[in-house]
Amino acid sequence: MPSRFSWLMGLHGENYLRLARLFAPQRLIVGSYRSSVDDHLDVLLEVVEHHPYTIDLVLTYALHDADTGGLVPSANIRMYRDARMAEVLHYHADRRLENAIGPLPPAHTILERRVRKSTFLNRWLEYLAEQGHSIGTLEPVVSPGTESQEAFA
């Protein structure tokens, strides 16, 4: 049976593959994108930075948290191109998403927190794919006063 650390690394690898298949951020230029499907829950993907070996992303729904005013749920993600892994650096879930993908057990150690974050992303990406979100539903978000640019590299 694999160690918990090996299992976590496998989960990071699975998250990379899910994310790469779903939204192909490695092909997107830095900027914001919106995915709309029939469920009326738009997904926002922000490609924050491309580095030689990593891509930094923010994935969220276009829903505002009544308490904080921030977008929820949200996940800051780092994709490691060379290792083909995706790690959740930070996430914020709300009850609506937990009801859809199921609750996660509380974490007591750093490893358990990392497993929890990765499991959250894994379940969420699976859910988004089931809802019909994909690279084909992504559209660049153009700020007022800026010209449209080619979104795919």
Side-chain angles (χ1 to χ4, degrees):
M1 187 161 174
S3 71
R4 295 176 78 184
F5 181 75
S6 296
W7 184 75
L8 175 62
M9 294 300 105
L11 193 54
H12 285 182
E14 186 176 332
N15 285 343
Y16 178 94
L17 292 174
R18 283 184 190 270
L19 196 53
R21 276 193 307 252
L22 191 60
F23 293 125
Q26 66 278 14
R27 293 181 30 215
L28 300 173
I29 64 170
V30 170
S32 297
Y33 302 86
R34 179 182 298 267
S35 175
S36 298
V37 295
D38 294 337
D39 67 357
H40 303 290
L41 291 173
D42 289 357
V43 172
L44 302 176
L45 175 69
E46 181 182 355
V47 179
V48 178
E49 288 187 84
H50 278 275
H51 298 283
Y53 300 105
T54 61
I55 305 167
D56 289 336
L57 312 165
V58 176
L59 182 65
T60 186
Y61 275 120
L63 299 172
H64 291 276
D65 185 342
D67 296 329
T68 67
L71 295 171
V72 289
S74 64
N76 293 32
I77 304 163
R78 179 163 294 147
M79 291 181 74
Y80 298 91
R81 298 176 198 235
D82 54 344
R84 300 179 53 83
M85 294 185 171
E87 178 182 18
V88 178
L89 303 175
H90 175 76
Y91 82 99
H92 176 69
D94 72 340
R95 287 282 170 218
R96 293 172 285 202
L97 185 63
E98 284 188 2
N99 289 338
I101 67 173
L104 296 170
H108 302 291
T109 66
I110 291 172
L111 180 65
E112 286 177 1
R113 281 188 216 117
R114 291 181 75 186
V115 167
R116 182 183 171 104
K117 290 188 292 188
S118 291
T119 301
F120 162 80
L121 179 61
N122 194 276
R123 288 181 181 179
W124 191 17
L125 292 172
E126 181 179 26
Y127 178 76
L128 291 175
E130 289 171 357
Q131 298 306 306
H133 294 281
S134 71
I135 185 68
T137 62
L138 275 184
E139 296 289 333
V141 175
V142 180
S143 302
T146 61
E147 306 235 350
S148 177
Q149 56 184 342
E150 189 62 37
F152 301 94

